[in-house]
């Protein structure tokens, strides 16, 4: 294969990966818009049922086409079912319920706190996690960002009344579920021979079964289906919970998990912009500023943005009298 041909293939693959990365960010950013539209005619449980059903169908189809083997063993499936409940059913229900009272853009900002929630849960339940100076700084910055977004000093009361406050707590509860799910996955499925697509298909399938069992008790309300609601559910499930995850998995395999995780910074931007343009929502200055602060907190806690004192400490660690290898390693600042 000639040099020009190889270069063209590499460039084409890079463009394809970039398109998948942006596609996943766009779909996940727009998911809050689709949730907001769907809850106009569906209860939260009905929406989650449709979302997980279409997601499970798409991922099961991918499993069939790629001839992947489903997980085996009662213990593995018990863990996957628990992950499906924690990562899919619970947070989807919380965000869907909150969408009845919050703007889509505001929900997307709260969703951006997921990495911080993950770090907090990991510190609590994973024995190998430690609270470093960098993580502590990130937590304090994140707390300030959440306070800015919530703006408790303004005592916001709108058409949703007191539910505005509880809906914000529901969003934070949803991100806490994600954090718990990520930590649970890391603790009990570490070293598993199953790839990300297989694990995702299994946990979403298990989540779909769980919500089918729950819906008769929490979701038996009148249904009003419009073309917009139907499209929203299909996109949320088939693309957002199915195809976009495959895109993201491809990006992780090519770029690495750390670089791929930067998609977190883009989803609230899409959520806010679509909420304003499509739904005519008003986003307040404190919500935008708070969202930026949360993203900065993620950068700090992941070691991507170093504090001045940290930079000074790194320079000292590079002197011949210090063991620089242990102090400057990116893992040491996680």
């Amino acid at each position: 294969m000639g040099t020009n041909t190889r270069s063209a293939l590499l460039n084409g693959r890079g463009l394809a990966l970039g398109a998948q990365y942006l596609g996943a960010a766009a779909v996940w950013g727009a998911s809050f818009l689709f949730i907001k539209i769907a809850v106009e005619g569906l209860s939260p449980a009905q929406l989650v049922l449709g979302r997980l059903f279409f997601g499970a169908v798409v991922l099961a189809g991918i499993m069939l086409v790629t001839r992947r083997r489903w997980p085996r063993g009662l213990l593995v499936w018990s863990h996957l079912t628990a992950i499906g409940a924690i990562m899919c059913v619970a947070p989807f229900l919380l965000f869907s319920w909150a969408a009845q009272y919050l703007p889509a853009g505001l929900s997307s900002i709260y969703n951006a706190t997921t990495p911080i929630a993950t770090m907090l849960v990991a510190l609590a339940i994973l024995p190998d996690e430690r609270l470093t100076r960098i993580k502590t700084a990130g937590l304090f910055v994140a707390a300030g960002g959440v306070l800015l977004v919530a703006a408790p000093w303004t005592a916001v009361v709108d058409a949703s009344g007191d539910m505005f406050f509880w809906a914000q707590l529901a969003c934070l509860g949803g991100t806490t579920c994600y954090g718990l799910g990520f930590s649970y996955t890391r603790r009990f499925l570490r070293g598993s021979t199953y790839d990300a697509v297989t694990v995702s298909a299994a946990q979403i399938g298990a989540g779909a079964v769980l919500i089918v069992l729950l819906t008769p008790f929490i979701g038996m309300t009148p249904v009003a289906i419009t073309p917009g609601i139907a499209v929203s559910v299909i996109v949320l499930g088939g693309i957002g919970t199915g195809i976009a995850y495959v895109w993201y998995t491809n990006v992780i395999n090519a770029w690495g998990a750390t670089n791929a995780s930067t998609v977190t910074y883009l989803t609230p931007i899409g959520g806010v912009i679509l909420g304003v343009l499509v739904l005519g929502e008003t986003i307040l200055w404190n919500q935008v500023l708070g969202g930026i602060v949360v993203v900065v907190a993620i950068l700090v806690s992941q070691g991507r943005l170093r504090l001045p004192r940290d930079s000074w400490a790194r320079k000292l660690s590079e002197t011949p009298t210090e063991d620089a290898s242990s102090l400057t390693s990116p893992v040491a600042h996680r």
Side-chain angles (χ1 to χ4, degrees), residues 48-274:
V48 175
L49 174 62
R51 180 176 182 176
L52 288 177
F53 170 78
F54 285 109
V57 168
V58 168
L59 288 172
I62 293 172
M63 291 285 291
L64 180 63
V65 171
T66 59
R67 297 184 178 181
R68 282 179 166 86
R69 295 179 62 182
W70 289 91
R72 294 183 179 181
L74 181 61
L75 180 61
V76 172
W77 272 105
S78 65
H79 287 317
L80 289 169
T81 302
I83 294 169
I86 299 168
M87 288 279 286
C88 301
V89 178
F92 288 1
L93 282 172
L94 287 168
F95 274 106
S96 297
W97 181 83
Q100 300 172 107
Y101 311 104
L102 292 184
L106 183 54
S107 294
S108 70
I109 292 174
Y110 274 114
N111 186 69
T113 66
T114 296
I116 300 299
T118 301
M119 183 175 65
L120 280 171
V121 174
L123 288 169
I125 70 174
L126 295 179
D128 57 341
E129 287 289 332
R130 296 291 183 270
L131 187 61
T132 64
R133 181 161 52 86
I134 288 295
K135 290 180 179 179
T136 302
L139 290 175
F140 275 109
V141 175
V146 172
L147 281 176
L148 268 176
V149 173
W153 58 87
T154 62
V156 177
V157 177
D158 60 5
S160 61
D162 294 337
M163 300 309 293
F164 189 89
F165 170 77
W166 295 109
Q168 293 181 86
L169 285 185
C171 288
L172 291 175
T175 60
T176 302
C177 288
Y178 289 139
L180 182 59
F182 289 138
S183 299
Y184 188 103
T185 302
R186 178 178 170 184
R187 181 166 183 174
F188 293 105
L189 293 183
R190 177 183 290 177
S192 170
T193 58
Y194 304 110
D195 65 6
V197 173
T198 301
V199 171
S200 179
Q203 72 183 49
I204 289 173
V209 173
L210 290 175
I211 194 62
V212 166
L213 298 175
L214 286 174
T215 300
F217 302 99
I218 64 174
M220 299 304 290
T221 57
V223 175
I225 299 293
T226 65
I229 291 174
V231 170
S232 295
V233 174
I234 293 171
V235 172
L236 273 171
I239 300 180
T241 312
I243 295 175
Y245 194 90
V246 177
W247 293 342
Y248 189 57
T249 302
N250 291 336
V251 175
I252 290 175
N253 292 336
W255 295 358
T258 301
N259 290 328
S261 68
T262 56
V263 72
T264 307
Y265 315 146
L266 301 181
T267 50
I269 297 174
V272 169
I273 292 175
L274 287 173

Side-chain angles (χ1 to χ4, degrees), residues 13-36:
R13 184 169 182 267
L15 288 174
L17 287 169
Q20 291 177 67
Y21 172 85
L22 293 176
V27 170
W28 289 336
S31 64
F32 300 94
L33 167 67
F34 295 128
I35 292 172
K36 187 71 175 177

